[in-house]
Amino acid sequence: MSYLKKHPTGKMKYSQTEIKKIMKNEKYPLSSRYDPDWIIENAMGAHTLWLQESLTREMNLKPDMRVLDLGCGRAISSIFLAKEFGVKVWAADLWNSATDNWSRIRETDVCDSVCPIHADVHDLPFSENYFDALVSINSFYFYVTDGEFLREKIFKYVKPGGKIGVIVPSFFNDYQDGYPEAYQPYVEPYNLNGWRTYNWWKDLFEQSGLVDIILADNIDGNEGNELFQKTACIYNIHETPFHIAGWKDITYSRIIARRKKDTPQQTKQ
Ligand SMILES: C[S@@+](CC[C@H](N)C(=O)[O-])C[C@H]1O[C@@H](n2cnc3c(N)ncnc32)[C@H](O)[C@@H]1O
């Protein structure tokens, strides 16, 4: 099913009623309980609660676990984690200030469970082996360079045996030999060089030497692609490179891993 308005100029818009209908997605029952206006107001490109729900249904989070939400954006995915799983969340982000995120967190009934932190992944202010789990939605593709980066800058903060779950936008097939012409003007604005495949990410995770892969896939087959299309409708965006290319080749990938138990506690600074 295509959710796209036919008109290519962006002049046709979805009505509020249509948007609310699209947002009531029965595949994401937990997310459906949240105010659609709040989700849209605090969005940074995706419906982050759908993605967080898709990821965490595979992660077995338990009450009181310490969870790092890395690149949490406006922290609504962090609030979701605390509300739905009773976990303690460190909501870390670079582009959004801790004060702004705290103002959102304070409006919820989980303000004792979510701690906003302004932080750069290149220098995170945490103890090694501290977190029971780490999640990250639509953020790794901005900064992760290789397996060593994962090991030295991110994974070491998760305790041995802890879980790491990541969602990134990606292609069904890697454009190793260059992008289609329609994509060329968008490579930089959309950071398309960071859009790879779940297998590419799986290899990178393994190269870190610190984790075993539990799951690496595209969200439920074609569901990731459909989420992109639905999200474009929700935000009434009708002109993107993906509209031009017909939406065939993009999806969201999930990678879930467990930190190995027998890795050294101390990694290099
Ligand atoms: C597309 S937004 C996604 C935000 C949020 N996870 C969501 O789904 O709404 C990417 C996020 O990555 C964060 N980010 C980018 N570079 C970062 C860095 N060097 N350190 C920490 N966070 C970073 C940005 O602050 C931004 O909020």
Side-chain angles (χ1 to χ4, degrees):
M1 169 175 182
S2 176
Y3 294 87
L4 302 174
K5 292 272 184 185
K6 294 276 181 288
H7 204 288
T9 67
K11 287 193 180 124
M12 280 173 73
K13 300 284 184 199
Y14 281 88
S15 69
Q16 285 302 307
T17 314
E18 285 173 310
I19 289 172
K20 298 270 157 73
K21 207 167 148 201
I22 294 168
M23 289 182 84
K24 209 146 188 56
N25 184 342
E26 76 278 356
K27 290 180 183 158
Y28 299 91
L30 303 181
S31 305
S32 292
R33 299 205 287 248
Y34 291 76
D35 177 6
D37 293 330
W38 182 74
I39 295 169
I40 290 173
E41 240 167 67
N42 296 305
M44 290 187 71
H47 187 318
T48 192
L49 300 194
W50 283 343
L51 300 180
Q52 190 69 283
E53 186 168 349
S54 166
L55 185 70
T56 49
R57 67 169 62 120
E58 308 292 340
M59 286 190 69
N60 199 18
L61 297 176
K62 299 277 190 230
D64 294 325
M65 278 183 165
R66 288 191 290 269
V67 180
L68 173 58
D69 188 355
L70 183 58
C72 68
R74 302 200 172 111
I76 68 171
S77 60
S78 313
I79 293 166
F80 174 90
L81 289 173
K83 272 185 186 286
E84 300 303 329
F85 303 104
V87 294
K88 308 269 183 231
V89 189
W90 279 255
D93 198 68
L94 181 64
W95 301 343
N96 296 279
S97 77
T99 307
D100 280 353
N101 277 345
W102 178 233
S103 71
R104 260 178 296 282
I105 295 162
R106 259 180 33 211
E107 288 163 8
T108 71
D109 55 2
V110 288
C111 57
D112 289 337
S113 308
V114 185
C115 174
I117 294 169
H118 185 245
D120 187 329
V121 69
H122 297 92
D123 189 20
L124 290 175
F126 303 117
S127 160
E128 292 185 24
N129 311 313
Y130 185 71
F131 294 103
D132 297 298
L134 179 152
V135 297
S136 183
I137 306 291
N138 269 356
S139 181
F140 266 38
Y141 72 108
F142 286 105
Y143 43 76
V144 171
T145 49
D146 52 31
E148 186 183 353
F149 187 98
L150 286 172
R151 182 174 66 246
E152 299 299 334
K153 299 295 180 191
I154 302 178
F155 291 172
K156 68 180 181 181
Y157 298 108
V158 177
K159 71 182 192 189
K163 281 197 185 153
I164 294 156
V166 169
I167 288 201
V168 278
S170 55
F171 290 109
F172 283 113
N173 296 299
D174 216 2
Y175 282 119
Q176 302 266 0
D177 304 324
Y179 297 98
E181 211 176 310
Y183 288 167
Q184 293 298 344
Y186 300 96
V187 171
E188 214 175 301
Y190 278 77
N191 195 27
L192 287 186
N193 286 326
W195 296 43
R196 307 303 295 256
T197 63
Y198 73 83
N199 267 323
W200 186 87
W201 283 101
K202 177 173 170 281
D203 288 350
L204 218 64
F205 270 50
E206 283 171 337
Q207 281 163 26
S208 77
L210 226 51
V211 298
D212 294 313
I213 300 291
I214 296 172
L215 177 155
D217 67 0
N218 293 325
I219 296 184
D220 298 334
N222 208 46
E223 170 70 6
N225 181 274
E226 198 160 285
L227 286 186
F228 262 111
Q229 300 199 33
K230 287 183 178 172
T231 304
C233 302
I234 292 166
Y235 304 133
N236 261 317
I237 299 166
H238 301 285
E239 286 176 309
T240 69
F242 311 119
H243 286 82
I244 298 163
W247 292 92
K248 288 188 193 66
D249 53 1
I250 54 171
T251 183
Y252 286 106
S253 294
R254 289 185 298 197
I255 301 90
I256 299 179
R258 190 190 301 281
R259 185 164 165 198
K260 289 178 197 279
K261 290 219 164 115
D262 56 358
T263 48
Q265 301 285 303
Q266 206 62 36
T267 52
K268 75 179 180 213
Q269 291 301 305

